Amino acid sequence: MAIRFSLGTFAGRFEETPLGAVRKAVGEGTIQHQGDAAGSVYWLCYRRAQHLIWVMSSGEMGGTDHRVTEIVEELVGTDAGASTDCASIPEKFLPVVFDGKLHLGMSRQEIITALGPPSKSEAAQMVYSHAGKLAHGFDETAWLILGFREDKLVSMRGGKTTTN
């Protein structure tokens, strides 16, 4: 499952890289917040051409420094530049890549070759999920939810959390 991510030239790790480090590297964006307690979430939102990208931190699982627990990227039908809620991301921070191999535009077969068979598969979506115990007794949950249009990857949501 996804452990590392990159936004073009910026490399990070789920549950280790703070939202502030992403914001500082990109030089754009405002960390936003919604909800409270276990339902709390912090995020950065970026746009470029037809790409929308959310870099998120669970308020509960991301800690006080809001470490990245999930990233979502999707291609939208129209120019994402029309979205004023998201900062423009410089070209050098694209593409979004999970673990050095998964990015938008890949075919379903390329993904299966790279990752193996999915946990669940439907016509427009494939899901890879993992839940298990780590050596020190903590529970680890990781996921990739991949959306397809005409056999091409057009949206991906990946993340990881560790609990005790």
Side-chain angles (χ1 to χ4, degrees), residues 11-61:
R13 294 179 70 87
F14 287 107
E15 298 187 294
E16 293 180 19
T17 304
L19 285 178
V22 175
R23 196 241 167 269
K24 183 177 179 182
V26 173
E28 299 287 336
T30 301
I31 296 174
Q32 299 179 57
H33 174 253
Q34 179 178 329
D36 56 21
S40 174
V41 65
Y42 294 82
W43 73 91
L44 289 161
C45 180
Y46 294 108
R47 61 180 160 72
R48 180 133 194 104
Q50 294 184 331
H51 294 254
L52 285 177
I53 301 161
W54 292 270
V55 182
M56 300 181 291
S57 176
S58 162
E60 181 180 24
M61 306 308 294

Side-chain angles (χ1 to χ4, degrees), residues 48-117:
R48 180 133 194 104
Q50 294 184 331
H51 294 254
L52 285 177
I53 301 161
W54 292 270
V55 182
M56 300 181 291
S57 176
S58 162
E60 181 180 24
M61 306 308 294
T64 57
D65 57 348
H66 313 303
R67 293 178 307 274
V68 175
T69 55
E70 187 170 29
I71 295 180
V72 177
E73 181 185 22
E74 65 180 30
L75 288 176
V76 293
T78 58
D79 189 342
S83 174
T84 57
D85 294 343
C86 300
S88 181
I89 191 168
E91 187 70 33
K92 71 179 184 176
F93 294 102
L94 290 175
V96 174
V97 178
F98 291 139
D99 284 337
K101 56 188 162 195
L102 187 65
H103 57 86
L104 294 188
M106 293 177 75
S107 72
R108 186 179 290 263
Q109 188 55 52
E110 287 174 316
I111 292 167
I112 292 171
T113 299
L115 303 178

Side-chain angles (χ1 to χ4, degrees), residues 2-3 6 19 23 26 63 84 97 113 123 128-129 148 162-164:
I3 296 171
S6 62
L19 285 178
R23 196 241 167 269
V26 173
T84 57
V97 178
T113 299
Y128 288 85
S129 61
F148 295 86
T162 304
T163 59
N164 56 2

